[in-house]
Amino acid sequence: MMSKIKHYYQCDMYSTIGKQLQKYWDCIIRAASRADDYARKYGASSYEAPVQYFEGGVDYLIFDHTPDLKVWRKKITDAEGTDLYEPNCMYRSDVLVMPDDRFHPSDTWDKTYSKEHLAWKDAKQLKTFDQWAAIAKLKRTDDREADMKALDQLMSRYTFVTFLHFYGDEAATVPDASPSGSRFPQGRAAGRTAAARARAAASGKNAPDCPQWLRKAIRAEKDRQALPVVEIYPLMAMLDMRPSTTGRSVTLNVTPQFFLCGETFFIGTEYPCHAEGLHPTTEGNFICNMNAAKRQRNN
């Protein structure tokens, strides 16, 4: 990996670029800490992080002993013979029809709702015309264009909330996208019934019996999806990283490396960086300070 890093820089942590790097570094520390906490919470000895991010997130957990195979399914065995596990559940995305934006569904043990309300013009892209027509119980004619206009008129009065529905193998048959799988909201009672459905779902009333192992698996998956991640591209923009040859886009072959040693940030990148406040340094100085930073963290 180090052989692909060709450019080395340093900067004072109190400089403009240093303060930006400090904020990014703080996000890295928080994301790494949350991932560590997740692994500890579920009894794992280690974990595999997703490679597409600079830091954060958990793809798979590693256990010293075989975990409960109802809760955790073995996804793969790596080249070293280590079994990698993930929560033993599945999920699908869908959209919920709401009478208006005064109401918002609460998360339940098997559903996670977006915080954002969508207008019809945005929500209509999430399903086909036939699916929406079935949900709205639209009376179809032979004129598809007229039907589409009628659907637009009918649905424009509502708001929409996307959600993830988590389930196990035995629950692969899932309800439609109307509120809680019920009929499309009608009339003056729509607001009251939507609120009542949300309260019932949150309390678990009217929910089918669910084995505890599936609840545990879903809880683990929801916790995993809630983990923060740190993208690489904001760092590239911050450093003003770009090839020397104009007209070429940056295609990363190796993730930039940077760390704090004392009050100085050190950065190693594949491409030249042009941000103001960065000062070139040598590979030897970079490695020497990287080892010193590691010793500081271990002490």
Side-chain angles (χ1 to χ4, degrees):
M1 183 178 294
M2 290 295 294
S3 63
K4 294 181 180 180
I5 293 178
K6 306 297 184 182
H7 305 275
Y8 300 92
Y9 304 91
Q10 66 183 67
C11 69
D12 188 283
M13 66 179 295
Y14 300 109
S15 64
T16 299
I17 183 63
K19 291 177 181 178
Q20 294 174 351
L21 285 172
Q22 183 65 59
K23 291 181 180 179
Y24 190 81
W25 182 258
D26 291 341
C27 291
I28 289 173
I29 297 302
R30 284 194 295 269
S33 178
R34 287 280 301 277
D36 292 345
D37 290 344
Y38 174 85
R40 281 193 293 268
K41 176 179 179 179
Y42 290 103
S45 57
S46 184
Y47 60 91
E48 290 282 339
V51 298
Q52 66 267 37
Y53 303 115
F54 192 96
E55 186 60 82
V58 170
D59 268 348
Y60 308 110
L61 291 183
I62 299 170
F63 298 91
D64 286 337
H65 306 285
T66 303
D68 185 344
L69 296 181
K70 288 184 177 180
V71 179
W72 302 95
R73 63 170 172 257
K74 184 173 73 173
K75 184 65 176 180
I76 56 175
T77 300
D78 67 15
E80 287 74 37
T82 302
D83 293 334
L84 307 180
Y85 293 87
E86 64 182 4
N88 188 25
C89 65
M90 294 169 285
Y91 58 91
R92 66 180 183 96
S93 60
D94 213 328
V95 59
L96 184 69
V97 183
M98 299 298 292
D100 57 52
D101 58 10
R102 292 175 301 167
F103 303 98
H104 194 88
S106 299
D107 290 350
T108 64
W109 69 271
D110 65 341
K111 293 185 179 69
T112 300
Y113 294 93
S114 168
K115 304 302 180 185
E116 180 182 8
H117 281 246
L118 300 178
W120 168 240
K121 64 181 179 63
D122 300 313
K124 68 186 296 185
Q125 312 299 326
L126 302 177
K127 289 183 178 292
T128 67
F129 167 75
D130 290 336
Q131 288 172 324
W132 280 122
I135 291 169
K137 302 189 184 304
L138 180 72
K139 294 182 178 179
R140 307 284 290 271
T141 70
D142 293 333
D143 188 338
R144 187 176 178 86
E145 184 175 346
D147 288 348
M148 294 177 71
K149 290 181 179 178
L151 182 66
D152 284 342
Q153 292 177 349
L154 177 61
M155 301 298 275
S156 294
R157 72 186 71 174
Y158 300 105
T159 63
F160 306 84
V161 177
T162 59
F163 67 93
L164 291 178
H165 176 217
F166 299 83
Y167 58 96
D169 287 335
E170 76 287 349
T173 301
V174 292
D176 62 32
S178 54
S180 299
S182 63
R183 294 185 300 109
F184 192 72
Q186 301 286 341
R188 289 179 295 175
R192 295 195 298 273
T193 56
R197 281 191 297 270
R199 288 193 297 270
S203 65
K205 293 179 180 179
N206 303 322
D209 291 339
C210 174
Q212 285 301 312
W213 68 261
L214 181 56
R215 287 180 178 267
K216 291 178 181 178
I218 289 174
R219 179 72 267 166
E221 181 60 29
K222 293 181 77 170
D223 285 350
R224 182 171 73 153
Q225 293 192 14
L227 293 173
V229 295
V230 180
E231 298 278 358
I232 296 173
Y233 296 103
L235 177 63
M236 295 169 59
M238 191 187 310
L239 297 174
D240 192 11
M241 185 192 309
R242 59 181 188 270
S244 301
T245 306
T246 58
R248 289 179 55 199
S249 60
V250 172
T251 301
L252 284 181
N253 295 309
V254 61
T255 302
Q257 293 189 12
F258 86 102
F259 58 88
L260 181 65
C261 184
E263 296 184 348
T264 303
F265 278 110
F266 291 86
I267 305 102
T269 64
E270 182 180 0
Y271 296 102
C273 297
H274 306 275
E276 185 177 352
L278 292 180
H279 305 288
T281 187
T282 64
E283 179 181 4
N285 190 43
F286 180 90
I287 294 175
C288 180
N289 281 277
M290 181 170 61
N291 293 333
K294 289 179 180 178
R295 288 194 296 269
Q296 289 176 2
R297 289 196 298 268
N298 292 334
N299 289 336

